[in-house]
Amino acid sequence: MPAAHEETLSNKAAKKRRRREPPPDPQPLPGLVDAHTHLAACGGRDAESVRAILDHAEAVGVGQVVTVADDMVDARWAVAAAEWDSRAYAAVALHPMHASDLTDETATELEEMARHPRVVAVGETGLDYYWTTRSDDCAPPDVQAAAFRWHIDLAKRVGKPLMIHNREADRDLLDILAAEGAPESVIMHCFSGDRNVAQECVDAGYTLSFAGTVSFANAAELRVAAEIVPDEQILVETDAPFLTPDPYRGQPNQSYCLPYTARVLAEVRGVDALAMARVLGDNARRIYRLPLQ
């Protein structure tokens, strides 16, 4: 086998190994809250594994997390995790891809879960136009919109924040929110819009939550958006196990990686990392009404 071919194979193997390796622990940054993670998808499917994930996060300053549902199975896992460990809270909803799963039966169960004392938000719900043309399993836009309206109403009825998933649907999503009347608290999870969308959300009083994407090399416009958000309207999240921040993009993500993204936000906004962590954590505890730490 030619040496060049061997080297190519070796590089591919090294890259594959690296993608399986978790990032190293960041320097601790106290006071943080992971505003959006998926504990079950990170392996947290029993009390012991959830505790291990949260112990790891707490060791670097991430004291609380909000674990989020995509579908009915995930919603049940999220509530269970929040019952297993006092550092975990839950958000429940049907992701727009699974909007077709909203029936009378699932609506009743979701409302019961949304009223659970350890459920702190209704989400993630919204619109996802990216997958409508790429997946046969994705609900069509009209079904997504109907489910989104139902979730907006649910958030208002239970008096909890609405956590929004928005992918390539800025205008329709914001128009539906305006037409339905947004709940008192709206969180734009994993915000991905440009500065104009960011400003429109800020003016509407919505909270923008930033994930590891803000650190990506091709995310200059997203960093501008992160810069213009007022202190009281910004959150940080992992969206783990996805969206691991640079320079570990593509590797497994967990809540312990949150300080990497918080430090990027501090740099973008020109503030001290400890001060940024305090703002981000205080906002999460206020918006989700978590016990103060």
Side-chain angles (χ1 to χ4, degrees):
M1 183 183 294
H5 187 55
E6 286 183 351
E7 186 175 346
T8 299
L9 290 176
S10 177
N11 288 341
K12 285 183 177 178
K15 189 174 288 188
K16 187 177 284 188
R17 275 199 309 274
R18 183 174 180 270
R19 283 187 172 275
R20 289 196 298 263
E21 293 174 359
D25 287 9
Q27 285 294 313
L29 200 53
L32 288 171
V33 174
D34 189 350
H36 186 117
T37 187
H38 299 270
L39 286 176
C42 292
R45 291 177 178 255
D46 56 42
E48 184 178 359
S49 55
V50 165
R51 182 170 63 251
I53 292 168
L54 298 183
D55 283 350
H56 195 178
E58 190 170 34
V60 297
V62 184
Q64 295 153 306
V65 309
V66 178
T67 186
V68 182
D70 282 351
D71 57 23
M72 294 304 297
V73 173
D74 259 2
R76 296 172 193 129
W77 279 119
V79 174
E83 292 175 335
W84 289 331
D85 197 298
S86 63
R87 297 165 294 184
Y89 298 85
V92 298
L94 289 172
H95 187 286
M97 284 188 68
H98 303 296
S100 300
D101 294 343
L102 187 62
T103 64
D104 289 346
E105 183 179 352
T106 57
T108 297
E109 186 178 358
L110 278 171
E111 179 156 353
E112 288 174 359
M113 287 191 285
R115 295 185 183 279
H116 191 290
R118 295 199 62 79
V119 171
V120 295
V122 172
E124 56 186 288
T125 179
L127 301 177
D128 189 318
Y129 290 173
Y130 176 85
W131 285 111
T132 54
T133 59
R134 292 172 173 85
S135 171
D136 294 337
D137 297 327
C138 184
D142 60 329
V143 175
Q144 292 186 29
F148 184 32
R149 291 187 180 96
W150 181 84
H151 283 94
I152 293 170
D153 182 62
L154 176 63
K156 289 190 281 192
R157 282 189 281 114
V158 301
K160 294 180 181 180
L162 181 72
M163 180 190 288
I164 288 180
H165 172 102
N166 170 26
R167 193 164 186 189
E168 298 186 4
D170 295 337
R171 188 70 270 144
D172 286 356
L173 187 139
L174 292 172
D175 286 349
I176 288 174
L177 266 177
E180 295 296 312
E184 181 180 343
S185 182
V186 173
I187 300 160
M188 307 300 285
H189 139 67
C190 190
F191 183 79
S192 59
D194 61 20
R195 70 189 76 189
N196 297 318
V197 175
Q199 191 61 58
E200 186 171 351
C201 290
V202 165
D203 291 344
Y206 306 155
T207 299
L208 276 59
S209 183
F210 291 89
T213 43
V214 76
S215 72
F216 293 175
N218 62 349
E221 185 67 18
L222 184 57
R223 285 187 283 276
V224 174
E227 187 178 6
I228 67 174
V229 181
D231 275 357
E232 65 273 13
Q233 288 174 259
I234 190 168
L235 292 173
V236 67
E237 62 175 83
T238 58
D239 199 19
F242 317 107
L243 305 181
T244 314
D246 274 347
Y248 308 106
R249 185 175 181 178
Q251 294 175 240
N253 198 10
Q254 273 194 20
S255 292
Y256 80 89
C257 296
L258 194 66
Y260 289 121
T261 304
R263 285 191 167 91
V264 171
L265 289 174
E267 183 177 350
V268 165
R269 294 166 70 85
V271 299
D272 173 74
L274 287 171
M276 187 80 255
R278 193 158 47 247
V279 166
L280 295 165
D282 286 351
N283 284 347
R285 285 182 282 272
R286 170 177 50 82
I287 292 165
Y288 290 127
R289 300 173 194 157
L290 309 184
L292 296 178
Q293 287 192 333

